[in-house]
Amino acid sequence: MNSVMPKLALKIHGMDCAEELAVLKREIGPMVGGADNLTFDLLRGKMTVAGGVSIAATDLMKAVNRTGMKADLWTENSAGEGEASFWMRQGRTMMMALSGAFTLAGFLAHVLTTGSLDAAFGSEGLGITHAVPLVARLCYTFAIISGGLFVVPKALLAARRIRPDMNLLMTMAVIGALIIGEWLEASLVAFLFALSLAIESWSIGRARRAVETLLELAPSTVRVKDKDREVEVPAESLAIGTEFLVKPGDRIPLDGEVLSGSSNVNQAPITGESVPVLKEPRSQVFAGSINGDGAMTVRSTKAAGDTTLARIIQMVGAAQEKRAPSEQWVEKFAGYYTPVVFLAATLVFLIPPLLFSGSWQDWTYRALVLLVIGCPCALVISTPVSIVAALAAAARNGVLIKGGIYIEGPANLKAIAMDKTGTLTEGRPQVAKVLPETGTSEQELLEITASMESQSDHPLARAIMDNCYEKGITSRPVSNFTAIPGMGATCTISGRNYWLGSHRYLEERKEETPELHERLEQLSADGHSVVVIGNEHEVIGMIALADAVRPASLRLVKDLRIAGIEHIVMLTGDNRPTADAIARSVGIDEVFAELLPQGKVDAIQRLVEKYKHVAMIGDGVNDAPAMALASIGIAMGAAGSDAAIETADIALMSDDLSKLPWLIGHSKRTLSIIRQNITLSLVVKAIFVVLTFAGSASLWAAIAADMGVYLLVIFNALRLLRDHSLNHIASNN
């Protein structure tokens, strides 16, 4: 009996390409209220039905089985080897190998029986059935059955739905070749098409393994203390908040916070950083990263199935469902192309014999050649394999792209807008200058400031306290502390009244002199934020702080220009002089300063109107409205931040700015490979169409050419899986 379920997930065995996703949408979509209620994770072979849909799992599994694929209920261990999974993957390879072996056996039997190599090759459309020896025909029959075992169910489904696809085209070609007595060619078509499906499955599997090997980096067990001894327990059984031990050289099993110990940790699987990162108490560590020479005690912050590493793998798999524009174009094109090929082959079969007294045998053969060469295998597989490979390669480099639809976007960017704090700068203000006035020592100024700032948690206050701590400065007792929001604070220390605040607060107190105003303006122009300190009579000093520019920012701007970015903009809520100073130091084209969140949205709106293709780079949370409006939203330093990963279209898992130009280069390279594959597929087909009408193309040559192109586009796409330096910049502007 049907029941309403929050969500229903199935493991689909044999789901290896975009066409199979389309088949499932057509078959399952009407049962669940439309294809929009289905989501697919191609890399893990997972299909999920939206919550609230009333459907029985058994009905869904039966519907999947009708497509020639198999389905089981999804469990956390579904990625493992089940019986159906083994048959769908290994069975396909076994049947393809049997088809090839029987084809070869039939050919050799024909040669040995007739003593003629020419007879075994047939007469290309003029063969006679009884000319093929019985033993050869039996071998060819077994070859056709083996090669078509996984094809015929899909072909029958396409025929029932009156939606011709490549499976139906190949099945018709095999049947037609048998009717006209071309046993060898019928067998070759079945074998080579089975081989193409096996290669397609392997190619998607390789991209799948490129991501899934990351999950294998996280150990399945965790080392914990049980009284006075260490024991290993399953990672999935460990509760959040449990302390566990990480020894030198260990792979870290779970996300967590370091409680004690320190070590350099290689977290390249998460962030793509090649240099190990020092981890100390209060530092965050990620599952799958590799500990260095130190021992650490860590408190788990996430369950095994919810670690940053696991989320990356889940999101990259699900990203395939979000089709890239080129992939959507190919799918739409193939939807028209396949029926046109089927119609053209029918016309070639009928019109010449009926209207021009052509040979039925000859034109039937030509129609079969047209069916084979018209098969859109290479064209259909060219884009999804490229997209999956590109997504997997990006994930291994610490760049999480949340859909094929976003992989092409960076290649088209003309303008990039960046948040200042935490993007171009470190995001951690530091004391740059301590400027006591005459009659006040630096020690005294810092003691008074530390006493007041100890009462605040403002970022500038924390920076001043850190500086005082490093210098051994201790604070004094404070009384009557009053915070003035957006301005500063007042208090009493050792019986005297003191205040501190911004330049604006100084002006409001009417204690600013022309000389002091000029000094404050110069400090602001140099990119400093200034805290002014005074007592009831006078200003006793100033502390200038600066948010340090990232060392990579200057190089980043140069590399972005090389990558083809025309306009680089900085968006910040900071004051104009500070923003201008930082912009000048790194070569930013335009600055929007003193912005509220709505101001950033307005700035992005103007940029989109002018440049069309604009990226917004920020922290993925505070900049969410602006990121949503931009063509592409890119989150910086998203590792460990669920909100950042969820908000952005693309998440840079580390703070490594060099990944921006790499991302643009990677996007351009992906687009280039997709275009190469589409062009190659269509050109070869066009050549064979001409040869077919000229009577110069044979069935086996057509399938061999189609297979050749098929292999070329797959291996060309898989080149994207190679590791490339993050300093690689695309030269194709």
Side-chain angles (χ1 to χ4, degrees):
M1 186 176 78
N2 292 357
S3 60
V4 177
M5 296 170 288
K7 267 191 181 181
L8 178 62
L10 298 180
K11 171 74 175 181
I12 309 297
H13 306 280
M15 184 175 73
D16 293 312
C17 75
E19 170 133 342
E20 282 155 351
L21 294 185
V23 169
L24 287 169
K25 286 180 180 180
R26 290 196 297 267
E27 188 69 15
I28 309 296
M31 299 174 61
V32 297
D36 290 342
N37 287 326
L38 294 172
T39 56
F40 296 91
D41 182 342
L42 183 62
L43 291 183
R44 297 197 298 166
K46 181 180 181 182
M47 180 182 76
T48 304
V49 180
V53 175
S54 179
I55 187 74
T58 52
D59 292 340
L60 282 179
M61 287 188 270
K62 288 177 182 177
V64 172
N65 293 345
R66 288 197 297 269
T67 69
M69 292 173 266
K70 300 292 181 184
D72 294 322
L73 282 175
W74 177 268
T75 66
E76 287 306 314
N77 297 321
S78 289
E81 302 292 335
E83 182 179 347
S85 176
F86 176 84
W87 170 245
M88 291 302 296
R89 237 186 14 259
Q90 305 302 329
R92 180 178 293 176
T93 303
M94 290 163 52
M95 290 299 101
M96 177 271 297
L98 280 175
S99 180
F102 279 121
T103 298
L104 179 61
F107 177 76
L108 293 176
H110 199 163
V111 171
L112 294 174
T113 303
T114 62
S116 169
L117 194 62
D118 290 340
F121 273 116
S123 52
E124 296 184 357
L126 300 176
I128 301 175
T129 303
H130 64 72
V132 180
L134 178 61
V135 64
R137 273 184 280 165
L138 287 173
C139 289
Y140 288 144
T141 300
F142 285 124
I144 292 167
I145 293 172
S146 301
L149 192 62
F150 288 88
V151 177
V152 171
K154 297 176 184 178
L156 292 175
L157 181 67
R160 287 199 304 270
R161 297 288 186 268
I162 317 178
R163 296 184 67 98
D165 62 8
M166 63 182 74
N167 299 291
L168 184 58
L169 291 182
M170 288 299 101
T171 302
M172 293 294 294
V174 170
I175 293 172
L178 290 176
I179 290 173
I180 64 173
E182 296 293 343
W183 287 84
L184 173 60
E185 301 207 32
S187 178
L188 278 172
V189 170
F191 163 65
L192 291 174
F193 190 59
L195 177 61
S196 72
L197 294 179
I199 292 172
E200 180 180 315
S201 178
W202 169 82
S203 65
I204 294 293
R206 183 177 172 191
R208 179 181 295 148
R209 288 190 296 274
V211 177
E212 286 186 341
T213 49
L214 295 179
L215 188 58
E216 295 171 4
L217 292 175
S220 59
T221 59
V222 183
R223 187 181 288 112
V224 298
K225 272 195 172 182
D226 181 14
K227 297 181 181 179
D228 295 329
R229 62 192 184 95
E230 296 178 6
V231 296
E232 292 192 358
V233 299
E236 62 268 17
S237 69
L238 206 69
I240 296 174
T242 305
E243 296 181 15
F244 61 91
L245 307 176
V246 180
K247 292 192 173 182
D250 280 358
R251 292 188 185 275
I252 297 174
L254 296 166
D255 287 6
E257 179 183 358
V258 178
L259 297 178
S260 63
S262 64
S263 183
N264 288 310
V265 174
N266 176 2
Q267 51 187 33
I270 304 297
T271 65
E273 295 167 296
S274 58
V275 179
V277 179
L278 177 63
K279 299 294 183 180
E280 299 175 307
R282 298 178 66 182
S283 297
Q284 298 294 315
V285 294
F286 306 110
S289 52
I290 305 166
N291 188 26
D293 296 330
M296 298 183 293
T297 300
V298 181
R299 180 175 57 236
S300 66
T301 56
K302 291 183 180 177
D306 194 40
T307 64
T308 302
L309 183 61
R311 287 171 61 81
I312 290 173
I313 294 165
Q314 292 164 11
M315 296 186 77
V316 171
Q320 175 61 18
E321 172 67 9
K322 299 175 183 176
R323 301 292 185 82
S326 59
E327 194 171 3
Q328 294 173 10
W329 179 87
V330 168
E331 184 177 349
K332 186 176 181 180
F333 178 82
Y336 292 104
Y337 171 86
T338 305
V340 167
V341 168
F342 196 83
L343 177 61
T346 303
L347 295 176
V348 167
F349 167 65
L350 294 174
I351 291 177
L354 291 176
L355 301 183
F356 304 104
S357 302
S359 166
W360 283 100
Q361 196 88 345
D362 182 29
W363 285 100
T364 298
Y365 187 82
R366 294 191 193 191
L368 295 177
V369 172
L370 190 58
L371 278 180
V372 170
I373 199 59
C375 176
C377 290
L379 180 64
V380 170
I381 197 62
S382 62
T383 306
V385 172
S386 301
I387 296 296
V388 171
L391 292 171
R396 293 196 305 192
N397 274 308
V399 180
L400 178 57
I401 302 173
K402 293 171 59 178
I405 191 171
Y406 306 119
I407 190 66
E408 297 181 14
N412 301 316
L413 290 176
K414 297 300 179 185
I416 289 182
M418 305 181 193
D419 181 43
K420 175 182 75 70
T421 305
T423 302
L424 289 167
T425 65
E426 296 286 357
R428 296 185 299 273
Q430 298 176 340
V431 173
K433 297 178 181 179
V434 179
L435 304 169
E437 292 296 296
T438 304
T440 305
S441 68
E442 179 176 325
Q443 171 93 6
E444 182 182 7
L445 178 64
L446 287 174
E447 284 180 358
I448 292 169
T449 308
S451 301
M452 299 184 72
E453 296 290 30
S454 65
Q455 311 298 309
S456 172
D457 60 356
H458 190 278
L460 295 182
R462 289 196 296 271
I464 291 173
M465 292 303 298
D466 289 343
N467 181 262
C468 290
Y469 177 78
E470 291 173 3
K471 293 180 177 180
I473 302 294
T474 56
S475 60
R476 303 175 185 178
V478 173
S479 61
N480 302 322
F481 179 84
T482 303
I484 305 170
M487 294 286 189
T490 62
C491 74
T492 302
I493 301 174
S494 303
R496 296 195 66 178
N497 295 326
Y498 291 93
W499 60 267
L500 63 73
S502 63
H503 186 180
R504 181 181 169 190
Y505 183 52
L506 175 66
E507 291 174 337
E508 289 204 359
R509 290 181 63 89
K510 303 187 185 305
E511 295 183 23
E512 185 181 38
T513 64
E515 180 186 5
L516 196 55
H517 177 82
E518 185 177 342
R519 290 174 62 191
L520 287 168
E521 288 295 319
Q522 184 59 53
L523 287 169
S524 293
D526 292 339
H528 295 96
S529 297
V530 184
V531 175
V532 185
I533 306 97
N535 57 31
E536 61 264 68
H537 301 300
E538 60 185 348
V539 171
I540 63 172
M542 296 174 287
I543 297 179
L545 301 96
D547 187 1
V549 175
R550 291 178 184 271
S553 293
L554 182 60
R555 179 64 186 174
L556 165 73
V557 172
K558 292 180 180 178
D559 286 346
L560 287 175
R561 297 196 192 285
I562 294 172
I565 303 302
E566 298 175 4
H567 197 66
I568 303 174
V569 177
M570 183 171 76
L571 307 179
T572 180
D574 210 341
N575 63 77
R576 168 65 65 176
T578 299
D580 286 340
I582 292 174
R584 285 194 302 271
S585 69
V586 298
I588 297 293
D589 296 317
E590 187 176 7
V591 176
F592 293 88
E594 302 175 9
L595 296 176
L596 296 174
Q598 183 57 46
K600 291 185 179 183
V601 171
D602 294 339
I604 291 294
Q605 179 66 52
R606 291 196 292 271
L607 290 171
V608 169
E609 289 173 358
K610 183 175 181 180
Y611 294 98
K612 306 299 181 188
H613 302 286
V614 178
M616 170 63 191
I617 304 166
D619 63 9
V621 182
N622 297 330
D623 301 312
M627 293 169 72
L629 186 61
S631 309
I632 299 176
I634 303 175
M636 283 285 297
S641 170
D642 292 343
I645 292 177
E646 293 294 342
T647 301
D649 303 321
I650 298 174
L652 306 183
M653 302 308 292
S654 74
D655 289 331
D656 187 357
L657 291 169
S658 67
K659 293 181 181 180
L660 290 174
W662 177 87
L663 173 63
I664 295 171
H666 185 59
S667 176
K668 290 185 176 182
R669 190 163 175 265
T670 301
L671 269 181
S672 176
I673 284 179
I674 289 173
R675 291 184 184 121
Q676 292 169 16
N677 287 348
I678 292 173
T679 301
L680 181 62
S681 302
L682 293 178
V683 166
V684 169
K685 292 185 184 303
I687 291 172
F688 263 82
V689 167
V690 173
L691 292 176
T692 299
F693 284 102
S696 302
S698 64
L699 199 57
W700 68 267
I703 191 67
D706 194 56
M707 270 299 303
V709 175
Y710 193 88
L711 288 171
L712 284 175
V713 300
I714 284 178
F715 286 117
N716 193 34
L718 291 178
R719 290 193 297 124
L720 289 165
L721 283 175
R722 298 176 186 170
D723 287 329
H724 290 272
S725 168
L726 290 176
N727 294 321
H728 169 74
I729 306 297
S731 58
N732 300 325
N733 298 329

